[in-house]
């Protein structure tokens, strides 16, 4: 059986090497300390709360070392971790707790008010303050670390869940995506093979812990490969630039909005990023001018694509192709089967539009206690992503749009991402998002939300004129609304639900 206990293995090979370090506090754990502490956590949690394989621990806390220790606990025992979104309202958190039905709820003190009066806490057997867990397990103890006897555990297989990660739930109740030990293993291999990860690599992890990117873009592949990860609680452009230099980091994962803010920072020009091998970019297509800025800085840009339920490291675009294949997400990673299909499930030809469907060992077995949603998404062994794409003659994939974002104008399908990609090339437009709104004549028409680049003046007529001759008339937005910034969700992606609310106020 392939071991899922990565901390124990690296404690044998690189006991004194730092595995994770906290930027804000300076706390750090070597691989030996990580393994020893996770054993202490296992002994405490199983003795105090009788936790066993399959039980759930929900956590409401910011990025911290304890998450990494608890991941190691899950790898040793088969206990399932449920990271909760601390940015949600108490009502929304109540749903997550009720749905995941945890045996233990660990809460950072700053978030206690979020759960104070919600009904679901009554069903949780054990409520534990994060500070109490630290005290009970000696995380802040001045005593030297020593080996603790590891109690015999049932062990885990690749089919056992390790995480339940809830989707954003912008159109319905959130769904708990089940993430297995096998998914984590194969995602690590996919990532290493396409990004050339080694034990010498160093990165910073600043995505929120309730996001799959926090766990699976670089943290778990780095833990699997014995590399170093710096943990930051949140994104700050200046602090990240300083950290990239100070901590000799080699790889950084971000979304384009972060890299835009970093390039606008007064620290950008003088930051020494010579040790950076490349940045990994996801979430949305990165504008070509921004790619050029970072390339001129000597930082190669590698773009990719992923989903919470699949991987999430699904595709990769080599930095050599970043400009030549602008807008592409690259090709599917090593251990995937991918195809584009039409509404009948038939594979489409190169250049034609189709939905991306995926199969392989990194595909979720389904949604937590939600067989209806599972059956709707996984059909005949293929995960249906809901993303419309095209594949060119060289095999490169291009995201056209989400099926749910498409609107129909005069019986014609319009994919907002296509129009957004064009408008982002306008020199005066910083960012743009388009949604379909009701139209008496055409059924629906486009409303463009535009953020103007500093120092430029752009009017509605400028936007529409820029589209003329480059897009079919039915694709050109009918309405243009200017914003200071686009609303974004917790994953850093454009919040189209908020745009729809704004649109009802401006029609």
């Amino acid at each position: 059986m392939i071991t899922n206990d990565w901390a124990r293995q690296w404690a044998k090979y690189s006991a004194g090497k730092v595995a994770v370090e906290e930027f804000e506090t300076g706390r750090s754990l070597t691989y030996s300390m990580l393994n020893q502490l996770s054993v202490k956590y296992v002994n405490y949690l199983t003795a105090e709360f009788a936790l066993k394989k399959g039980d759930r621990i929900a956590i409401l806390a910011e990025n911290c070392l304890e998450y990494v220790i608890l991941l190691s606990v899950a790898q040793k025992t088969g206990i399932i971790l449920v990271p909760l979104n601390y940015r949600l309202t108490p009502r929304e958190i109540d749903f997550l707790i009720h749905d995941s039905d945890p045996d233990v709820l660990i809460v950072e003190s700053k978030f206690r008010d979020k759960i104070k009066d919600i009904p679901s806490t009554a069903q949780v057997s054990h409520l534990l303050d994060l500070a109490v867990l630290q005290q009970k397990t000696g995380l802040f103890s001045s005593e030297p670390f020593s080996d603790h006897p590891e109690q015999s555990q049932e062990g885990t297989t690749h089919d056992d869940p390790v995480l339940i990660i809830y989707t954003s739930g912008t159109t319905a109740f959130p769904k708990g995506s089940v993430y297995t030990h096998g998914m984590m293993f194969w995602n690590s291999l996919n990532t290493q093979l396409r990004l050339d990860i080694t034990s010498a690599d160093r990165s910073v992890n600043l995505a929120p812990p309730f996001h799959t990117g926090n766990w699976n873009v670089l943290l778990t592949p780095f833990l699997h490969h014995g590399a170093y990860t710096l943990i930051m609680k949140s994104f700050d452009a200046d602090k990240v630039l300083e950290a990239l230099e100070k901590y000799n980091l080699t790889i950084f994962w971000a979304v384009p909005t972060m890299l835009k803010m970093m390039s606008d920072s007064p620290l950008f020009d003088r930051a020494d990023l010579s040790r950076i091998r490349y940045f990994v970019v996801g979430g949305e297509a990165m504008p070509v001018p921004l790619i050029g800025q970072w390339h001129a800085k000597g930082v190669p840009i590698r773009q990719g694509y992923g989903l919470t339920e699949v991987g999430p490291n699904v595709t990769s675009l080599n930095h050599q192709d970043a400009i030549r294949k602008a807008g592409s997400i690259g090709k599917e990673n090593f251990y995937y089967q991918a195809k584009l299909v039409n509404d009948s499930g038939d594979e489409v030809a190169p250049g034609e539009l189709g939905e991306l469907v995926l199969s392989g060992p990194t595909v979720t077995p389904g949604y937590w206690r939600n067989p209806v949603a599972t059956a709707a998404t996984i059909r005949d062994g293929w995960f249906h992503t809901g993303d419309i794409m095209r594949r060119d003659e060289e095999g490169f994939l291009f995201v056209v749009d989400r099926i749910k974002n498409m609107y129909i104008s005069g019986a014609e399908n319009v994919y907002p991402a296509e129009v957004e990609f064009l408008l982002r090339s306008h020199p005066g437009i910083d960012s743009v998002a388009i949604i379909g709104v009701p139209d008496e004549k055409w059924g629906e028409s486009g409303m463009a939300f535009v953020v103007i680049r500093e120092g430029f003046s752009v009017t509605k007529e400028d936007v529409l004129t820029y589209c003329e001759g480059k897009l079919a008339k039915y694709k050109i937005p009918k309405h243009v609304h200017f914003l200071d910034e686009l609303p974004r969700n917790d994953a850093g992606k454009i919040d189209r639900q908020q745009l729809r609310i704004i649109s009802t106020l401006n029609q």
Side-chain angles (χ1 to χ4, degrees):
M1 179 186 296
I2 298 175
T3 181
N4 294 314
D5 192 351
W6 298 345
R8 189 161 115 188
Q9 292 298 101
W10 280 109
K12 298 177 186 177
Y13 311 137
S14 302
K17 182 178 181 179
V18 174
V20 285
E21 182 174 0
E22 282 184 349
F23 174 81
E24 291 81 5
T25 67
R27 297 190 302 164
S28 65
L29 296 175
T30 65
Y31 277 99
S32 177
M33 293 162 65
L34 173 59
N35 186 58
Q36 292 163 18
L37 272 171
S38 62
V39 171
K40 290 184 70 174
Y41 270 51
V42 169
N43 293 345
Y44 170 71
L45 293 169
T46 55
E48 188 74 13
F49 307 122
L51 294 182
K52 61 187 183 303
K53 182 177 179 178
D55 290 342
R56 272 88 53 215
I57 296 178
I59 313 108
L60 190 66
E62 287 184 307
N63 258 356
C64 57
L65 296 183
E66 287 76 13
Y67 273 106
V68 183
I69 299 168
L70 287 167
L71 174 66
S72 181
V73 168
Q75 290 185 312
K76 291 177 183 295
T77 64
I79 292 169
I80 306 168
L81 304 186
V82 188
L84 301 177
N85 185 344
Y86 48 77
R87 295 174 182 165
L88 299 179
T89 64
R91 182 187 68 84
E92 294 167 312
I93 292 172
D94 182 55
F95 172 82
L96 300 185
I97 294 174
H98 176 75
D99 189 67
S100 60
D101 191 21
D103 302 270
V104 174
L105 172 59
I106 299 172
V107 182
E108 190 175 0
S109 57
K110 67 192 300 181
F111 300 122
R112 287 291 297 224
D113 286 346
K114 292 245 180 181
I115 64 162
K116 184 172 60 176
D117 299 316
I118 62 177
S120 62
T121 55
Q123 76 187 50
V124 180
S125 302
H126 308 286
L127 184 61
L128 183 63
D129 193 283
L130 182 64
V132 173
L133 178 63
Q134 293 167 341
Q135 179 186 16
K136 293 288 187 181
T137 53
L139 184 55
F140 291 125
S141 172
S142 59
E143 298 178 5
F145 281 83
S146 58
D147 288 329
H148 292 264
E150 187 167 355
Q151 299 174 5
S152 176
Q153 301 295 329
E154 184 178 343
T156 60
T157 71
H158 273 194
D159 294 329
D160 292 324
V162 61
L163 294 165
I164 298 174
I165 302 177
Y166 279 87
T167 59
S168 57
T170 54
T171 57
F173 288 112
K175 301 188 293 291
S177 178
V178 175
Y179 200 90
T180 67
H181 292 269
M183 290 173 66
M184 191 171 286
F185 171 83
W186 288 104
N187 176 71
S188 174
L189 290 191
N190 268 331
T191 308
Q192 179 261 317
L193 287 167
R194 296 293 280 123
L195 300 183
D196 302 321
I197 290 172
T198 73
S199 61
D201 276 313
R202 300 169 64 84
S203 186
V204 57
N205 183 28
L206 45 76
F210 48 82
H211 188 279
T212 187
N214 171 282
W215 298 95
N216 301 307
V217 172
L218 289 178
L219 176 61
T220 52
F222 269 46
L223 290 172
H224 191 200
H225 289 83
Y228 164 92
T229 301
L230 178 69
I231 294 174
M232 296 182 76
K233 292 187 182 298
S234 60
F235 172 79
D236 179 282
D238 293 349
K239 290 180 180 178
V240 171
L241 283 168
E242 291 174 351
L244 291 173
E245 181 175 345
K246 177 182 176 181
Y247 292 88
N248 299 323
L249 304 184
T250 60
I251 302 175
F252 175 48
W253 169 72
V255 297
T257 302
M258 294 179 184
L259 298 188
K260 174 66 167 60
M261 294 171 69
M262 290 167 65
S263 67
D264 290 340
S265 167
L267 303 182
F268 177 74
D269 288 335
R270 64 176 182 267
D272 179 5
L273 304 182
S274 58
R275 296 178 184 85
I276 295 291
R277 295 206 285 130
Y278 45 78
F279 286 172
V280 181
V281 179
E284 58 187 332
M286 187 163 168
V288 171
L290 187 57
I291 295 174
Q293 268 188 285
W294 285 100
H295 280 190
K297 181 73 175 173
V299 177
I301 299 295
R302 296 188 65 136
Q303 298 188 78
Y305 161 92
L307 303 95
T308 298
E309 299 94 336
V310 188
N313 299 324
V314 176
T315 74
S316 184
L317 177 71
N318 291 348
H319 54 272
Q320 296 94 334
D321 296 313
I323 302 297
R324 186 176 75 89
K325 293 292 182 179
S328 173
I329 57 171
K331 300 178 181 180
E332 58 269 29
N333 287 335
F334 212 83
Y335 293 105
Y336 281 102
Q337 288 180 283
K339 59 183 180 179
L340 304 183
V341 300
N342 58 24
D343 292 341
S344 301
D346 299 321
E347 191 165 3
V348 301
E352 295 181 357
L353 301 186
E355 181 186 6
L356 176 68
V357 297
L358 296 162
S359 178
T362 55
V363 174
T364 181
Y367 297 105
W368 177 254
R369 295 178 176 175
N370 195 337
V372 174
T374 300
T377 306
I378 304 174
R379 304 194 291 274
D380 297 324
W382 291 89
F383 181 91
H384 287 247
T385 66
D387 286 319
I388 297 297
M389 301 191 186
R390 64 177 175 84
R391 191 190 294 271
D392 70 11
E393 294 292 342
E394 295 181 65
F396 288 86
L397 291 164
F398 292 77
V399 178
V400 177
D401 214 335
R402 293 285 297 165
I403 290 176
K404 293 178 182 178
N405 292 342
M406 183 196 79
Y407 63 91
I408 301 175
S409 185
E412 296 284 356
N413 293 346
V414 181
Y415 295 98
E418 178 186 8
V419 187
E420 293 164 359
F421 184 77
L422 170 68
L423 286 176
R424 280 198 297 268
S425 67
H426 187 292
I429 293 178
D430 185 72
S431 54
V432 61
I434 297 171
I435 63 170
V437 297
D439 187 289
E440 288 186 6
K441 181 177 182 180
W442 303 111
E444 287 182 294
S445 58
M447 176 177 281
F449 294 86
V450 175
V451 177
I452 301 173
R453 195 179 304 278
E454 187 175 352
F456 285 81
S457 176
V458 178
T459 66
K460 173 183 177 180
E461 289 69 28
D462 293 332
V463 173
L464 301 182
T465 300
Y466 192 75
C467 294
E468 291 176 0
K470 303 181 184 76
L471 293 171
K473 288 186 178 180
Y474 67 87
K475 297 180 182 179
I476 298 176
K478 181 178 180 181
H479 313 276
V480 179
H481 183 72
F482 294 97
L483 296 174
D484 292 332
E485 61 180 356
L486 297 177
R488 294 183 180 273
N489 60 25
D490 292 325
K493 297 181 180 180
I494 294 170
D495 190 336
R496 295 180 189 270
Q497 283 292 90
Q498 286 298 315
L499 293 180
R500 290 185 179 93
I501 294 171
I502 296 171
S503 73
T504 61
L505 303 175
N506 289 277
Q507 283 185 271

